[in-house]
């Protein structure tokens, strides 16, 4: 049982490492203000088919969704699923009670400031 728990912790750390590396790479394209891992990896109930959901806040994201996704996905490794918002969009979605933003606020794993630089 101890080995299974250690394996699970190691897998979660590997997935968080993917997210951190993604944020570092993305920072060369846009100024990342904040980033959280949300979803099953943050909650700890991930499985072999889970991806790493990363909520990115960056002010210079293009307004057009296709252009935005092109930037967000350009440096995303396999298994990382980004969602990008500007700071004003984040605040608007927070007021609206957007489940993704609520989850980031309540139990998301905020990546360190150095990951967002």
């Amino acid at each position: 049982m101890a080995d299974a728990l250690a394996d699970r912790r190691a897998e979660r750390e590997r997935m968080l490492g993917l997210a951190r590396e993604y944020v570092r790479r993305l920072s060369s394209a846009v100024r990342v203000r904040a980033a959280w891992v949300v979803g099953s990896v943050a909650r700890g109930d991930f499985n072999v088919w889970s991806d790493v959901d990363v909520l990115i806040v960056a002010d210079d994201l293009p307004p057009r969704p296709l252009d935005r996704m092109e930037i967000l996905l350009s440096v995303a490794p396999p298994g990382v699923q980004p969602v990008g918002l500007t700071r004003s969009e984040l605040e608007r979605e927070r007021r609206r009670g957007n489940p993704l933003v609520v989850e980031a606020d309540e139990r998301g794993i905020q990546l360190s400031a150095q990951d967002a630089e």
Side-chain angles (χ1 to χ4, degrees):
M1 175 93 158
D3 288 342
L5 289 174
D7 290 348
R8 184 112 175 123
R9 284 188 191 108
E11 179 60 12
R12 186 174 191 224
E13 284 305 312
R14 184 193 69 77
M15 295 171 97
L16 291 172
L18 280 176
R20 288 183 185 100
E21 180 59 27
Y22 167 68
V23 171
R24 276 193 279 282
R25 288 181 187 171
L26 184 63
S27 293
S28 67
V30 295
R31 183 166 180 222
V32 176
R33 297 271 186 183
W36 294 268
V37 172
V38 295
S40 62
V41 174
R43 291 188 308 267
D45 61 357
F46 60 92
N47 61 50
V48 68
W49 299 283
S50 295
D51 56 8
V52 184
D53 300 303
V54 181
L55 175 59
I56 298 290
V57 178
D59 290 332
D60 49 352
L61 290 173
R64 188 168 165 249
L66 277 174
D67 295 337
R68 185 176 290 201
M69 286 311 294
E70 183 178 351
I71 289 170
L72 294 172
L73 293 173
S74 68
V75 295
V80 170
Q81 181 61 50
V83 174
L85 299 172
T86 64
R87 283 190 295 178
S88 62
E89 291 168 342
L90 176 71
E91 291 309 316
R92 182 188 69 221
E93 294 305 310
R94 187 174 276 139
R95 286 190 305 274
R96 289 180 175 177
N98 179 307
L100 184 66
V101 175
V102 170
E103 183 173 355
D105 288 340
E106 291 179 357
R107 62 182 162 261
I109 298 172
Q110 187 163 14
L111 302 176
S112 70
Q114 68 184 16
D115 294 331
E117 293 178 350

